[in-house]
Amino acid sequence: MTVEKLSNALQGATKLSGQTEPSEQLGVISLILTLKWAYENSTASAIPEQAQWPNIMAAADEDPRRALEVARQALQYNKGEALGQILEILDVSRRLNSENLKHLVRYFDEKVRLYPNILEFPETAGEAYDQFLSWSAEQVGKTGGEFHTPRSVTDLLVRLTSPSRGHSVYDPFAGSGGMLLRARQYVSEADGAESALCLFGQEINRSTYALARLNLLLHGLGDASLALGNTLTDPRHVTDGRLLRFDRVITNPPMAMEFFDAGVQHREWMRYGVAKGRGKADLMNLQHVVGALKPTGVGAMIAPHGALFRGGVEGEIRRGIIEDGHVEAIIGIGANVFYGTAIPACVIVVRGTEAPRRGPRDEVLYINAEREVATGRTQNLLKPQHIERIVRTHESWSTISGFSRPVSISEIADNGFNLNIGRYIEALSREEPQIDVRATIAGGVPRAEVESKASRFRVFGIDVFQLFEPGRPGYLAFLTEGYRETANRIQHMAAAREREFKVASGKAWEDTAAALIDLAASDQVLMSRDRLMAQFSAPLAPFGLLDTDALAGAFASWWNEYHDDLRSLGHVGVRGLRVRRESADNLAAALERQSDEDLVISLGEGLLSKLEELVGAARYELTRSFLSWGNRYALSLWDLEKRREDASAHLQSRLREMGLTDPGYGS
């Protein structure tokens, strides 16, 4: 049973729940999943008789609501603390009628199988449930963001903070536990499957807390320290009257979260100030993140843009955090990425006072990644290639026009500690460069404009100046064939260089596939992601058709898409990959004839296709640039005047031929 099949089965269960509210569907499906998982992952003697799945099935034929409730109570007081806390909160929706409940129980019996020996990976049940939570968050709309953060956003925060073996990781607004799970997955894939990581979290909503507990339990993390309560007014991770400190703090607080100062029990922990009365909680949340970091710790928090510039007490809190050198980076994220809200948000990366930094302590790196999204059907998507570019820019502390810039704290101070991204990075305009007035009047293409694009044409094997004729000083002229015909020839002129790149890409992938085969049946497959990315990209970067960000992004996107195939290759070797493909495609005979080497090489078809698309898009930009020159400069004002004069002369001639010589006709 693969993650995809099990997740689809859980989604299918929602169709049997009638007109019940999505949140109630989620609760009852989670309850039945818990009961079935507990039975199929324990010896029968360890489960109370009323909670054993065959007995639930038998009792459900007569009274499914009572059968589930009796099983819930029996198991709640008989198993461990984590399972007991889940079952204490989950219950059977009163709005779900008995017939629908009966169908649900039968559906789980037939479609949802959770025995460890039939699951592809140890975490298959957990990952399928986490995907189901993501899907559910999309379905419920506005309230989805209250319990689940898009996986791509959690991946970004984990990559920016880079936890490692032995670290403690804390999410003060844990939702359904996705941040903690992504941190654990990142460490296990970077340092090995058995890498230890101590997980902590707190969640205020009881129902969401139960979902998080179940999510962690299904991933084998029932011992994670997850608390129920208000993080700001009553933090639960405390020792000796002080907040616990963590190596990593990653979180996505509710976007519209408010703060009431009257409920604060430990004002002494809020050293930068406390907002009075009722107001936005963003800076209080950030203060909590900073306060929960070890001196060597790193944190990342999602916040609305208002947190970057609002004044009053919030401004004073922000100033104190900046002056103490905690803020390392501000990263703008595109609009409509989160469930339930279309507003753009940002990531604030902070560090403890002794933590090594990516750049100088007296600088803050700004990254404007608002365009690093792909448009989806209902919301925009932060894809692996976008994450890769953001993370690589953060790691290199790069200055990229219109995208990133290190800003000194003194400059921020001069701006009143306003962190608004637009103050420090001017977005690149997508408009055409300013038109050359002389060319508009007299014709010709400004040579300077062509020279500015010459290097991009050159990497495709094209001398852009051969697409023009010499013109007057400082200008070029279009060929007599017309600029559109010339533009049509660009694809043919680039073909030879593109073929060279395609051959090199195929060879680079074959070498990468050989490395994967050598790593098969070991943790090293997933642990070698960055090394394999560098190996694949190294021989292709010198071509210049795609820059290093584009190559890395394509590889990251492919790796994410084929992650479970690669994981299976590492888990059991090529045999695991063969079984996955046979199950997915029902091509047993064809796979039997395919060698191990050819089977692994076939994984790269998607990667090579991505590169081909990117190269085609880059070449199209050349054609678009050339057509733009034609649209702006092919027809000058002098040409228009000449055409007008010619047309007028022709009209006068025709009028004379027709005997119409009245001077008024020519006016």
Side-chain angles (χ1 to χ4, degrees):
M1 175 74 77
T2 65
V3 172
E4 182 180 11
K5 287 182 178 179
L6 185 53
S7 178
N8 288 340
L10 293 175
Q11 293 175 30
T14 62
K15 299 175 182 177
L16 304 174
S17 304
Q19 301 300 314
T20 313
E21 289 292 321
S23 59
E24 293 184 343
Q25 289 182 352
L26 182 57
V28 72
I29 288 171
S30 296
L31 172 61
I32 299 174
L33 176 67
T34 304
L35 296 173
K36 196 162 196 286
W37 177 86
Y39 176 75
E40 295 185 353
N41 283 264
S42 306
T43 58
S45 60
I47 302 294
E49 185 175 349
Q50 305 99 310
Q52 294 183 14
W53 185 256
N55 295 334
I56 294 174
M57 282 289 297
D61 281 339
E62 294 188 10
D63 189 342
R65 191 181 309 281
R66 175 174 170 74
L68 292 173
E69 183 59 27
V70 168
R72 182 188 72 81
Q73 292 185 17
L75 196 58
Q76 176 186 342
Y77 299 110
N78 200 273
K79 295 296 287 181
E81 179 184 0
L83 194 57
Q85 290 175 339
I86 294 167
L87 293 170
E88 180 185 359
I89 297 172
L90 295 178
D91 59 11
V92 184
S93 169
R94 295 295 171 186
R95 299 187 188 184
L96 203 63
N97 65 47
S98 294
E99 199 61 32
N100 285 338
L101 275 176
K102 192 179 298 185
H103 288 318
L104 263 180
V105 173
R106 289 174 181 167
Y107 178 88
F108 264 78
D109 187 61
E110 296 172 3
K111 301 291 187 181
V112 181
R113 304 182 64 197
L114 301 166
Y115 290 104
N117 63 332
I118 69 168
L119 298 180
E120 184 177 20
F121 307 118
E123 299 86 9
T124 291
E127 291 178 8
Y129 183 64
D130 194 56
Q131 287 188 12
F132 172 64
L133 290 176
S134 295
W135 178 83
S136 299
E138 292 179 14
Q139 305 308 303
V140 301
K142 185 174 182 179
T143 59
E146 296 178 5
F147 68 84
H148 202 75
T149 301
R151 178 164 181 168
S152 60
V153 177
T154 62
D155 286 343
L156 174 61
L157 267 62
V158 170
R159 292 280 306 277
L160 289 168
T161 55
S162 189
S164 60
R165 185 195 302 264
H167 274 169
S168 56
V169 180
Y170 171 52
D171 183 353
F173 306 95
S176 54
M179 290 280 185
L180 300 177
L181 293 172
R182 295 289 79 73
R184 191 252 198 169
Q185 179 184 351
Y186 175 84
V187 172
S188 68
E189 293 185 3
D191 296 334
E194 301 304 318
S195 297
L197 201 65
C198 301
L199 303 179
F200 299 81
Q202 185 163 337
E203 171 56 39
I204 191 172
N205 183 285
R206 278 173 55 83
S207 297
T208 304
Y209 171 81
L211 301 182
R213 269 290 187 195
L214 178 56
N215 204 5
L216 291 164
L217 182 65
L218 294 176
H219 280 85
L221 299 170
D223 59 349
S225 179
L226 193 66
L228 179 63
N230 188 316
T231 300
L232 292 184
T233 61
D234 186 21
R236 297 298 178 87
H237 294 291
V238 177
T239 181
D240 297 329
R242 298 173 61 88
L243 282 175
L244 276 178
R245 301 294 183 93
F246 305 95
D247 296 294
R248 299 291 183 268
V249 181
I250 47 178
T251 193
N252 175 26
M255 282 287 179
M257 183 174 173
E258 292 189 332
F259 174 78
F260 301 88
D261 70 322
V264 177
Q265 298 184 22
H266 300 282
R267 290 174 182 264
E268 68 274 14
W269 295 346
M270 299 181 177
R271 56 175 296 198
Y272 295 106
V274 178
K276 290 181 171 55
R278 175 176 179 171
K280 300 291 185 182
D282 307 317
L283 269 297
M284 303 303 295
N285 295 338
L286 183 61
Q287 184 170 205
H288 180 82
V289 170
V290 171
L293 284 176
K294 290 181 178 179
T296 55
V298 184
M301 186 187 95
I302 299 293
H305 281 264
L308 302 178
F309 56 79
R310 285 195 297 262
V313 176
E314 290 182 275
E316 291 303 311
I317 295 172
R318 187 170 58 245
R319 175 176 182 162
I321 293 172
I322 296 168
E323 287 184 327
D324 282 353
H326 288 298
V327 179
E328 179 179 78
I330 305 292
I331 302 167
I333 299 177
N336 200 29
V337 168
F338 295 89
Y339 303 124
T341 179
I343 66 172
C346 65
V347 181
I348 304 176
V349 182
V350 293
R351 289 188 178 253
T353 53
E354 300 174 16
R357 294 172 66 94
R358 299 292 185 186
R361 184 167 291 277
D362 62 350
E363 288 184 350
V364 174
L365 180 67
Y366 273 82
I367 299 177
N368 183 4
E370 292 188 355
R371 292 181 179 175
E372 295 296 310
V373 293
T375 303
R377 183 174 59 86
T378 58
Q379 68 182 96
N380 293 334
L381 307 172
L382 187 68
K383 292 199 166 185
Q385 58 268 34
H386 305 134
I387 296 171
E388 196 67 30
R389 187 183 187 203
I390 294 168
V391 171
R392 287 163 66 89
T393 302
H394 177 239
E395 290 175 346
S396 62
W397 209 256
S398 303
T399 298
I400 302 172
S401 179
F403 185 70
S404 64
R405 181 169 84 90
V407 178
S408 68
I409 289 181
S410 62
E411 182 180 346
I412 292 172
D414 290 342
N415 281 286
F417 295 93
N418 185 323
L419 295 176
N420 195 14
I421 296 172
R423 283 180 176 258
Y424 305 102
I425 298 182
E426 185 175 349
L428 286 178
S429 173
R430 291 184 176 177
E431 298 177 358
E432 298 289 352
Q434 187 173 0
I435 198 164
D436 186 295
V437 176
R438 292 183 179 179
T440 303
I441 295 172
V445 181
R447 188 179 186 89
E449 284 191 28
V450 177
E451 287 175 344
S452 70
K453 303 279 188 180
S455 61
R456 287 303 301 152
F457 282 84
R458 195 176 302 118
V459 298
F460 278 85
I462 301 172
D463 179 356
V464 69
F465 295 103
Q466 292 183 356
L467 305 179
F468 298 93
E469 294 177 347
R472 68 186 192 282
Y475 294 86
L476 301 170
F478 291 107
L479 301 178
T480 55
E481 65 183 356
Y483 76 92
R484 294 190 182 279
E485 286 298 318
T486 306
N488 289 337
R489 291 194 290 112
I490 289 176
Q491 181 174 353
H492 174 73
M493 297 171 73
R497 186 66 169 164
E498 290 184 36
R499 282 194 297 270
E500 292 175 13
F501 183 82
K502 187 173 183 178
V503 171
S505 301
K507 177 63 169 60
W509 170 248
E510 288 177 5
D511 293 343
T512 305
L516 281 169
I517 292 172
D518 291 341
L519 299 171
S522 77
D523 288 345
Q524 292 295 318
V525 170
L526 295 183
M527 290 172 66
S528 300
R529 173 190 181 272
D530 290 349
R531 180 175 65 80
L532 294 172
M533 177 189 291
Q535 175 184 328
F536 177 76
S537 302
L540 304 180
F543 280 83
L545 272 66
L546 301 175
D547 62 23
T548 54
D549 279 347
L551 290 169
F555 191 94
S557 178
W558 166 82
W559 186 275
N560 185 71
E561 184 177 343
Y562 286 82
H563 182 271
D564 281 353
D565 281 334
L566 294 164
R567 185 180 179 190
S568 185
L569 180 65
H571 191 56
V572 294
V574 179
R575 178 176 59 85
L577 180 59
R578 193 178 296 276
V579 169
R580 279 186 62 82
R581 288 301 183 86
E582 184 175 321
S583 172
D585 302 326
N586 196 26
L587 297 175
L591 288 170
E592 190 66 32
R593 294 192 298 269
Q594 204 170 20
S595 69
D596 287 356
E597 181 181 6
D598 288 342
L599 186 58
V600 175
I601 286 176
S602 70
L603 288 178
E605 293 172 358
L607 174 56
L608 298 178
S609 294
K610 288 179 189 297
L611 292 186
E612 197 167 346
E613 290 175 10
L614 289 172
V615 169
R619 185 225 314 127
Y620 172 74
E621 284 301 308
L622 304 184
T623 303
R624 195 180 70 83
S625 294
F626 194 86
L627 288 172
S628 174
W629 290 324
N631 292 335
R632 286 183 295 155
Y633 300 126
L635 191 61
S636 68
L637 293 179
W638 285 2
D639 292 331
L640 288 173
E641 177 63 19
K642 181 66 166 61
R643 289 187 181 186
R644 191 194 70 79
E645 291 174 353
D646 290 346
S648 178
H650 181 70
L651 176 60
Q652 292 296 332
S653 174
R654 292 289 293 157
L655 289 173
R656 284 194 295 271
E657 290 175 5
M658 298 168 62
L660 300 173
T661 57
D662 188 302
Y665 282 102
S667 59

